[in-house]
Amino acid sequence: MSDTQLQDGYQPNRLLDTLIKEMHLKNDAALCRTLQIGPPLISKIRHGRLPVSASILIRMHETTGRSIRELRQVLGDRRAKYRFGDIMGKPKSAAPPSVSALHGAASMAS
């Protein structure tokens, strides 16, 4: 991957470093305390084992006052929208009849 692609692409370290610098923090541990999240979470994000989730972006927004859009720009996330997985938003398959429907059918049969 070229340097240009790295600068334009997803870079969670750039976001974390920017927050540390802007909030005048000493290190990742201080960032964790400020954001009230566990150090393993920041470590996993730093090492590319975990993406920056929406809940972490919201915590960063609440702590810094920067908009989610600004944070995503620093992060290198250029998507117009977040997309849910295939399971999210799909209608449920035919559900079994409810208990009240069964009781109503039983009383009609008698």
Side-chain angles (χ1 to χ4, degrees):
M1 201 178 280
S2 72
D3 290 337
T4 306
Q5 287 173 326
L6 283 176
Q7 288 175 351
D8 292 339
Y10 178 78
Q11 291 187 8
N13 288 337
R14 181 174 55 198
L15 175 62
L16 298 175
D17 293 339
T18 299
L19 292 177
I20 288 171
K21 184 178 177 182
E22 286 182 358
M23 295 192 296
H24 307 290
L25 301 173
K26 189 173 181 180
N27 52 31
D28 285 351
L31 180 62
C32 291
R33 287 189 295 273
T34 303
L35 297 175
Q36 298 177 351
I37 58 176
L41 198 60
I42 294 291
S43 177
K44 288 177 184 176
I45 291 170
R46 274 246 188 244
H47 292 96
R49 293 190 304 263
L50 188 70
V52 178
S53 68
S55 60
I56 294 172
L57 277 174
I58 291 170
R59 184 68 59 98
M60 291 173 174
H61 159 70
E62 290 171 344
T63 304
T64 64
R66 290 182 90 175
S67 72
I68 299 291
R69 182 172 295 192
E70 281 182 278
L71 294 170
R72 286 180 56 211
Q73 273 188 321
V74 173
L75 178 62
D77 185 356
R78 303 289 189 254
R79 295 175 292 177
K81 295 181 182 179
Y82 282 108
R83 305 217 186 278
F84 291 107
D86 289 339
I87 296 174
M88 298 295 289
K90 283 190 176 179
K92 293 182 181 178
S93 60
S98 67
V99 174
S100 59
L102 289 175
H103 286 298
S107 61
M108 292 178 119
S110 20

